[in-house]
Each structure stands twice: as C-alpha cells, then as structure tokens.
Amino acid sequence: SLFAAPPEKDLDWNEKGVEGMYRFLNRLWRLAHEWVIRDDKVTEAQAGDDELRRKVHQTIKRVSDDMERFHFNTAISALMELLNVIPREPTVSWPVTREALEALVLCLSPVAPHICEEIWSQLGHESLIQETQWPTYDSEWLQSETMTVVIQVNGKLRAQLNLPKGADEDFVKQAALSDERVRKYVDGKEIRKSIYVPGKLLNLVVS
C-alpha cells in the first residue's frame, strides 16, 4: 500500500500492487546477488560511472525529501527508477555499482527492512543496516550534464534541443541547423541574424 498511494489518500485494495512490489524486490535481490558473486568486476573507472553516480545522488535527495513528507509511494518509485539504471554487466565500475546498490537498500530499508538487511550483509557489511547512517547526497552531483535550448525561427518555436551543458553559441547554432525540424524553415533562406540567450534560447532570423 505504501507503493500505491500517498498516506493521506484512500486506497482500493489491488493485488497487482503487491505483485509489482514483489517483482521489484526480486529484481533487486537477483541483481545484488549477481554482482556480489561475479568474478569479472572492474575497479577502474568506466564510461558509465558518472551517469550512475549522478542518478544515485539525485535519488537520495528525492527519497529523503519524500520520506520527510511521508510520501512513501513516490520515494519507492524513485528507487525503482534507480534500480532500472544499475547495469547487469560491468559497464560501470564495481565501486560505483556498489555505491548505487548500497544507497538503494539503505533508502529502501525503512519500508522493506528484512530483505534490505540481508542484501546489506551480502555486500560485506558486518554492522546492521539499521545501525547505519542515512545516506547523504552531494549537491555537485545533482546538476545535469545537459541543458535544454529552445530554438526559434523568426520568433516562432521550432524545436527544443538537449545539448551539452556550457555549449557555446556556435555549437548550439550548428546543432539547430542540423535538426530537421529547424532546417525546413531555414533551407534556401538567408540567416540574417542569430540571437542567443546562453543555455536557454537561440532565435534565427531568416528571410
């Protein structure tokens, strides 16, 4: 019931909610066990490390905020999202994968203490999870690596592009001109001026 609705709302009992939570816990159990026993873990940095670590810290913040408001359903939803991005193959280094698994079971432990305690033990901890401090997040990892830039042609919205954070005007302009949604409004026309609001908007003035 914690997964299905916030505490202030009535809930009609539905066995599908129980089945969904059961599948989630089983997936978590299997994934943690597979990582613990695998013999091809990598300890050196991998390409997916930063993306997973960013998701971990974003999840810790979301769950901490939701738990404080007793919104257990959205907290559990955030943990499900985190589980979905923890890879089954070593495309992410073991230290970062372990960090993700530990954060997940720590944040889940208030609502599923028994299975989380067992996974915590599998991960090599001798102390009980209930004796462990709640995880903290690093605000530097909460920032996205991308920015959404609105692309206009003669002041009319034509596209929204997700681009690397900090990209300069030339990069944004080239990305816009490579986008089919924008090209059909500028092909065969002269770009007389471009107006760029850094990280927010690019307006191409054509005639």
Side-chain angles (χ1 to χ4, degrees), residues 9 50 76 85 91 113 135 174 182:
K9 292 188 176 180
D50 284 357
I76 294 171
V85 299
T91 55
Q174 288 303 314
V182 176

Side-chain angles (χ1 to χ4, degrees), residues 93-163:
S93 69
W94 169 236
V96 177
T97 303
R98 181 189 179 99
E99 177 185 345
L101 289 169
E102 290 182 347
L104 201 162
V105 297
L106 277 168
C107 290
L108 184 64
S109 62
V111 295
H114 299 95
I115 189 171
C116 289
E117 197 71 71
E118 183 60 33
I119 294 173
W120 189 251
S121 176
Q122 284 190 30
L123 290 170
H125 295 281
E126 295 183 1
S127 60
L128 296 176
I129 198 170
Q130 63 183 355
E131 299 172 346
T132 304
Q133 185 176 359
W134 185 260
T136 58
Y137 60 87
D138 186 336
S139 58
E140 290 187 8
W141 286 103
L142 300 180
Q143 305 301 317
S144 174
E145 284 192 321
T146 62
M147 60 183 183
T148 301
V149 181
V150 171
I151 308 300
Q152 296 179 340
V153 178
N154 289 343
K156 293 184 179 181
L157 175 65
R158 299 307 182 191
Q160 295 186 62
L161 303 180
N162 288 320
L163 301 172

Side-chain angles (χ1 to χ4, degrees), residues 17-35:
V18 178
E19 293 172 0
M21 196 63 190
Y22 177 78
R23 289 195 299 270
F24 166 60
L25 293 176
N26 268 287
R27 284 180 55 221
L28 172 59
W29 175 272
R30 290 196 304 270
L31 182 65
H33 182 69
E34 288 170 5
W35 268 101

